[in-house]
Amino acid sequence: MSLPVRRITMPTPYAIGPVNAYLIDGSPATLIDTGFNSAEAQAAMEAALDDAGIGVEGLERILVTHAHPDHYGLVQPLQERSHATVYFPQREIRRVKDRQMFMEVGRLLVEAGMPLDLLFKMDQRRREEPRPQLKHDEVIPLHGGETFEIDVSGTTATLETLHMPGHTGGHVVFFEPTTRTLFAGDELLPDTSPNPLLEPSLDEPGERRQ
């Protein structure tokens, strides 16, 4: 069995460049990550789904690896149009929901030696960017250990959810053992180091996550 995967490349406003989402062309039609919340990224996503023959409305399931804007930014518009079931890492939901976390990040960066003027510039850019929305009561939390079955031409593929903190504290990856296919989010990248980012601990918000 081969896993029918379509890579969907979308632009971001970041220096790192474009980001990828992945469509598994089976039943249910499953999308892993969604791209940045921008008109350009949305157009690229729509074109790819149309090319796959399902369109946005044909999406049935969305799996998110972590709560960075370039990976979950289009969750809400895709969910509203497709009525797909959205699965989101539980620890990442907490981080998105708790606005105090943004304040704690700034404090930790200053303590680590970041100049205040640079911090202000980062905050200004963050405010100018379109903020992703997440309907917290309409997503299903992932804790790690969940499995997702996909029918591929009469054969069942199974995605295993693995909690792999590193790039973020709640980051998950999805692994299909038969084909040995890994959807790694930002834990593995071909051309750059997937740095672990500075963020406050969810369990002790005043402390840095190790």
Side-chain angles (χ1 to χ4, degrees), residues 55-142:
V56 172
E57 291 74 14
L59 279 178
E60 298 172 88
R61 181 163 60 195
I62 298 172
L63 308 178
V64 176
T65 59
H66 65 294
H68 282 161
D70 54 337
H71 285 260
Y72 85 101
L74 290 175
V75 160
Q76 183 169 321
L78 292 176
Q79 183 183 28
E80 289 177 346
R81 288 178 57 185
S82 68
H83 305 290
T85 304
V86 177
Y87 296 84
F88 209 98
Q90 188 269 339
R91 293 181 69 86
E92 300 289 279
I93 293 174
R94 286 179 57 195
R95 194 159 62 83
V96 171
K97 197 172 184 179
D98 187 355
R99 307 302 296 180
Q100 182 62 27
M101 287 292 177
F102 291 106
M103 301 295 293
E104 292 294 340
V105 168
R107 183 184 62 79
L108 291 174
L109 288 171
V110 170
E111 288 181 357
M114 173 174 282
L116 280 174
D117 61 336
L118 180 56
L119 184 62
F120 289 145
K121 288 178 181 178
M122 288 176 57
D123 185 62
Q124 181 62 36
R125 177 167 179 173
R126 181 182 67 83
R127 292 172 185 273
E128 292 171 355
E129 291 176 354
R131 299 304 302 167
Q133 300 297 314
L134 186 66
K135 295 183 177 179
H136 303 287
D137 58 344
E138 295 183 17
V139 302
I140 298 175
L142 295 171

